[in-house]
Amino acid sequence: MLERIKRDLKAKLSARRYAHTESVVKTALEFLAVYDRSAETHDRVEIAAWLHDCVKELKNDEQVDLAKFYGIEVHPEDIASPNLLHARNSAAFAEETYEIVDPRILNAIREHTLGAPEMCLEAKILYLADMLEPGRDAAIKAKSDPNASEINYSSELDSMRALALAGKIDEALLAAMNSKITYVIRKNQPIHPLGVLARNYLLLSSLAT
Ligand SMILES: [Fe+2]
Ligand SMILES: [Fe+2]
């Protein structure tokens, strides 16, 4: 199945998105090795990472239409930023096209942008790998002047990587969610409720232990 998925993605995605996807697979498997070395989890993370952005390059109105087609709840915050739907749409597309039924694979794809309460290991790994794959830094540098906030962001990513590789996955995840939500606030955009639920769940469960 993986060979078919890779062939389809190569034909469908831009070179930049394909390279990002390849890098997410590699980073996800590096992070995973710290937590779980079983073949089953490895395979689940690998498949989820390959498919995580499979419909990301659709246009805004196509994302909204696809979500409606799949019966996915579309929030007002999705209408404001339809690209946020790509994770939920990619999961539905992967389920339909590749007949993936494993909920851990589907949840990992679905939750890779906003997170969710009670994320499984595969979902946490994919969320972090998507944000922390090395191409992210290159993308930031290519875009930016040597501007203080971007340099800070690069070092923020480094500290999240260090946490993920040190076995502190929930700390890495909370830092990642805080960083994303802070970015949304800085841009004065609405915060998606699913991201708030995910972050609060993680924070409250870490306080409870
Ligand atoms: Fe994505
Ligand atoms: Fe991605």
Side-chain angles (χ1 to χ4, degrees):
M1 180 167 61
L2 259 186
E3 287 317 305
R4 179 181 158 215
I5 291 171
K6 286 189 218 174
R7 204 176 46 238
D8 291 353
L9 292 174
K10 192 126 214 181
K12 177 159 109 165
L13 297 180
S14 65
R16 189 179 66 89
R17 177 74 38 205
Y18 189 86
H20 159 73
T21 300
E22 239 176 352
S23 186
V24 170
V25 174
K26 191 165 171 279
T27 305
L29 294 176
E30 277 166 20
F31 290 164
L32 180 65
V34 177
Y35 300 91
D36 186 335
R37 291 182 168 273
S38 72
E40 298 77 34
T41 317
H42 175 284
D43 291 352
R44 282 197 290 263
V45 166
E46 189 173 23
I47 292 170
W50 275 110
L51 286 169
H52 82 283
D53 277 346
C54 64
V55 298
K56 173 138 184 167
E57 292 185 332
L58 294 181
K59 296 192 191 81
N60 284 345
D61 54 335
E62 293 171 330
Q63 292 291 359
V64 175
D65 289 348
L66 193 60
K68 288 181 180 160
F69 171 77
Y70 284 129
I72 292 167
E73 183 184 359
V74 177
H75 300 253
E77 293 80 2
D78 294 316
I79 301 292
S81 302
N83 187 44
L84 289 174
L85 285 166
H86 82 272
R88 283 160 281 161
N89 281 339
S90 290
F93 183 88
E95 182 176 10
E96 184 191 36
T97 309
Y98 301 103
E99 292 167 10
I100 291 169
V101 290
D102 188 326
R104 287 173 170 256
I105 298 177
L106 297 174
N107 287 343
I109 300 172
R110 186 178 299 120
E111 295 163 8
H112 84 263
T113 305
L114 294 168
E118 297 187 83
M119 291 166 81
C120 62
L121 176 67
E122 291 86 336
K124 291 177 179 179
I125 294 280
L126 185 55
Y127 185 105
L128 288 169
D130 181 49
M131 188 164 170
L132 302 177
E133 62 93 358
R136 291 284 187 200
D137 303 62
I140 295 162
K141 282 185 194 122
K143 263 201 269 181
S144 66
D145 317 316
N147 153 336
S149 71
E150 266 119 16
I151 291 167
N152 286 342
Y153 185 58
S154 237
S155 71
E156 229 180 286
L157 295 183
D158 279 338
S159 67
M160 290 175 217
R161 284 185 191 108
L163 286 170
L165 290 170
K168 299 179 177 174
I169 198 159
D170 285 346
E171 284 178 48
L173 196 59
L174 184 59
M177 288 177 178
N178 283 344
S179 169
K180 276 194 195 175
I181 291 174
T182 306
Y183 177 79
V184 170
I185 291 172
R186 234 191 285 131
K187 291 189 69 181
N188 212 24
Q189 290 173 347
I191 307 169
H192 200 293
L194 295 177
V196 175
L197 288 177
R199 189 249 182 194
N200 286 359
Y201 180 89
L202 189 62
L203 195 55
L204 293 169
S205 58
S206 74
L207 292 175
T209 54

